[in-house]
Each structure stands twice: as C-alpha cells, then as structure tokens.
Amino acid sequence: LQQRRGIRLSAPAAIQVTVRDALNQALDEELERDERVFLLGEEVAQYDGAYKISRGLWKKYGDKRVIDTPISEMGFTGIAVGAAMAGLRPVCEFMTFNFSMQAIDQVINSAAKTCYMSAGAIAVPIVFRGPNGASAGVAAQHSQCFAAWYGHCPGLKVVSPWSSEDAKGLLKASIRDDNPVVMLENELLYGVPFEMSEQAQSKDFIVPIGKAKIERQGTHVTLVSHSRPVGHCLEAAAVLAKEGVECEVINLRTIRPMDIETVEASVVKTNHLVTVEGGWPQFGVGAEICARIMEGSAFNYLDAPAVRVTGADVPMPYAKILEDNCIPQVKDIIFAVKKTLNI
C-alpha cells in the first residue's frame, strides 16, 4: 500500500555477521527445516559447542537432535555414518580435524565409498565439520590442513569457507547434499565479522558446492586460495594495487569438486598464476591447481611459471615467531607476485 502511494521502502541492508554466528544460523535453519538433520560431537549440546557454534541449539531442539558424545571420534563417527545410511542426515563435528584421524576409516572406507560399492543403492548424506589448519599456539598435533588429504578421495565433497556467507551457504548446501561432505572451517575466522547481504540472510540461501567466487577483479595476476589465506590475498592485492599491480583474487570455496574453469578463465585474462594455502607444499591443493592448469588450454596463456605459496614443510612449531614463519603471510604473497611478474 505504501509503495502504491509512492513511498519508497528501503530494503534490508547488509549486516555484519561473524563466521561463528553464520554457522549457528545455518545449523538452526536446517534443523528446523528437516527433522532428519541432527548434530553430534564432543560438547555440542549442554556446553553450546567448544567454539560456541551450536549455541542455543540443544535448548531449542533437545537431546535427540543435538547430542553430546564421549571423547571417541571413531565411535561417534561410526554412529553418524550408520545413521546416514539409515536415512538420517547427521552433522558430525570434530573438535579439530586433526582428531578426525581417529575416525578416518569411517570417513573414507565407510562414508566415501559406500554409494559406489552399493551401486548407488545406499546414499550417505552426512557432513563432517570442524576447524581445520593452524590456529594460534597449539603446536603440531593441532595445526594441520587436511584439504589435500580429503580432497584426494573420490566419493567425498570437500568445502573450505572463508567469509560468513561462504560458511552459511556452504553448510546449508552440504547438509542438503546426498553425498558425504567434509567442511573444513578455520578457528581463527570464527570471531571475524563479514558483511552478509540481504540475500544471504534468507533461509533459502545456499552457496553451490563446486563453484569458486572471484573476490576481486584484476588484470595482471591470478591469486587462488581457500579459507583464511583468502583474506591475506586480498590484503596483498590492496598493497600491490598501490604499486600499479592489479590482482584477481579467487576464493575456491570448494576443494572437491574443484572449479578449475573459473581459474582457467582468470589465467587466460591475467597470464600469471599464484596459489596460496596454509597446508604443506608436497601434493597440496596448489600443486593440483598448477597441474590442472598445465594440462589444460590455459597453459598456453601463461607468461611465467605458476608459483605456489604454502605452509612450511615442517610440523608446526609451538613458538609464535616460528609459527608465523611457517604460515603464509601477506609479505610472502607480495614477494611471490613480484617474482612471477619479474618486478
């Protein structure tokens, strides 16, 4: 009626939402939407989650939908995989993906391979989620990136969000997917606020699995990254822009299936490629991107060899100064860009 009278109604503006709250929203909306969805893991219920991702969900949905488990990844992951085979849609939280090593037999041999081995008769709609990669001051046994490990395995989908929109949209898409999905979050991003658009505030908002996003347009070099290093790439791009170098920054969002078409199209435009990741260099995500580019038609457009920026090839030290030197920093990305551009 107001619009008919010529009164302009302002649309809801974008708001600032932390990654933690975006994940909480996604879980809340999907638990409400589908009664087959349930969350299980260590401290997810009465304690509201080790990182407060599941805050308020136990009080709202009760013991059958939000389940505290013993400290036994092999046990509760097996329960979750069996529940998925029986028709439920579990969200299985690891307090850190380093602890998923306790359950990797369930993730790979049970979840990833069952659809194929049953000739499609048994689907395993399950999400394995939790923090991945280095946090701060937690040393070698809590700082590993498993993107390359899980991205290696057919039968899994692997997603790795950066922003709040990534986190919400990818988690909702993962819960609705009929395949097992590994969602690799980052603990250091949980408290970081990002702008969330009006569209992303909708209960129907999802981020398609397998589709990368160009976070910044550029013409001189392509930067490809996932998770927290995407932010480092944008910072490096802002610094380089002051020197006349325009970087195109691609947020992969999905590790498997990888959106290599978006990367190829960017390389055709910029003629240079730098990959950035927090994981180790050998057999890493960057190595896979470089191989795909070399094997495809975009290779003919490269004016210089592709360069990888990775974590150091060592177990993560505890000391902060050593830790900082083991994780890609903005200065490392700037150095790599100048190297590939020969400036």
Side-chain angles (χ1 to χ4, degrees):
L1 184 60
Q2 287 177 314
Q3 285 177 320
R4 286 181 184 177
R5 290 173 178 167
I7 300 172
R8 291 186 64 184
L9 298 177
S10 58
I15 58 174
Q16 293 281 316
V17 178
T18 65
V19 171
R20 174 183 288 108
D21 289 341
L23 291 166
N24 181 266
Q25 283 177 29
L27 287 169
D28 189 7
E29 290 169 7
E30 293 306 302
L31 283 162
E32 183 179 61
R33 175 180 175 271
D34 189 341
E35 64 181 10
R36 297 171 298 172
V37 175
F38 70 98
L39 172 66
L40 80 167
E42 294 150 355
E43 300 182 346
V44 299
Q46 295 187 44
Y47 189 67
D48 278 343
Y51 307 99
K52 301 297 179 270
I53 302 299
S54 53
R55 185 179 59 248
L57 298 180
W58 174 66
K59 289 178 182 175
K60 183 173 182 180
Y61 295 102
D63 290 326
K64 288 188 177 181
R65 306 289 301 284
V66 184
I67 304 167
D68 276 331
T69 66
I71 303 173
S72 175
E73 280 76 15
M74 183 185 294
F76 69 73
T77 305
I79 289 170
V81 172
M85 291 178 180
L88 298 179
R89 305 186 84 87
V91 179
C92 178
E93 177 179 308
F94 295 121
M95 198 175 287
T96 152
F97 259 93
N98 298 270
F99 301 160
S100 75
M101 294 293 94
Q102 299 289 325
I104 198 164
D105 177 59
Q106 305 285 8
V107 177
I108 304 302
N109 283 325
S110 297
K113 298 177 182 177
T114 293
C115 184
Y116 173 79
M117 294 180 73
S118 67
I122 303 174
V124 189
I126 185 171
V127 179
F128 305 102
R129 55 155 295 272
N132 169 72
S135 180
V138 292
Q141 292 178 338
H142 299 76
S143 297
Q144 190 171 332
C145 176
F146 289 93
W149 285 52
Y150 287 118
H152 181 65
C153 301
L156 289 178
K157 294 183 178 181
V158 183
V159 299
S160 182
W162 169 59
S163 67
S164 297
E165 287 196 5
D166 290 348
K168 181 180 180 181
L170 285 171
L171 181 52
K172 288 170 72 74
S174 299
I175 292 171
R176 298 182 190 188
D177 202 286
D178 288 332
N179 299 282
V181 182
V182 171
M183 182 159 173
L184 303 171
E185 300 155 13
N186 187 286
E187 182 185 342
L188 296 177
L189 288 174
Y190 283 155
V192 178
F194 289 87
E195 191 173 273
M196 187 173 276
S197 65
E198 178 191 352
Q199 179 190 12
Q201 296 169 43
S202 163
K203 290 186 178 182
D204 298 321
F205 175 74
I206 63 166
V207 169
I209 294 174
K211 185 62 183 169
K213 180 183 179 184
I214 298 175
E215 299 286 352
R216 179 185 176 118
Q217 296 282 348
T219 54
H220 295 129
V221 60
T222 299
L223 297 177
V224 186
S225 189
H226 67 95
S227 191
R228 187 166 173 256
V230 173
H232 296 339
C233 287
L234 289 170
E235 288 181 47
V239 172
L240 287 160
K242 296 175 182 176
E243 301 180 29
V245 176
E246 293 298 331
C247 302
E248 182 145 295
V249 179
I250 297 178
N251 173 11
L252 274 180
R253 298 199 293 195
T254 304
I255 307 301
R256 184 185 185 102
M258 186 178 286
D259 182 6
I260 203 66
E261 292 80 14
T262 294
V263 180
E264 285 181 327
S266 180
V267 169
V268 167
K269 179 170 69 170
T270 68
N271 311 116
H272 298 90
L273 172 65
V274 175
T275 68
V276 185
E277 63 189 307
W280 294 318
Q282 282 212 175
F283 317 111
V285 175
E288 175 66 17
I289 294 168
C290 291
R292 296 273 196 100
I293 292 298
M294 190 191 75
E295 292 167 351
S297 58
F299 174 74
N300 298 314
Y301 291 84
L302 280 176
D303 288 342
V307 175
R308 292 179 293 159
V309 179
T310 71
D313 196 20
V314 296
M316 182 62 69
Y318 170 72
K320 186 179 188 310
I321 190 166
L322 295 177
E323 181 182 69
D324 288 344
N325 280 280
C326 283
I327 300 170
Q329 306 292 338
V330 172
K331 62 181 175 60
D332 302 316
I333 301 169
I334 293 171
F335 178 83
V337 168
K338 289 185 174 181
K339 177 184 175 182
T340 193
L341 292 175
N342 197 29
I343 57 176

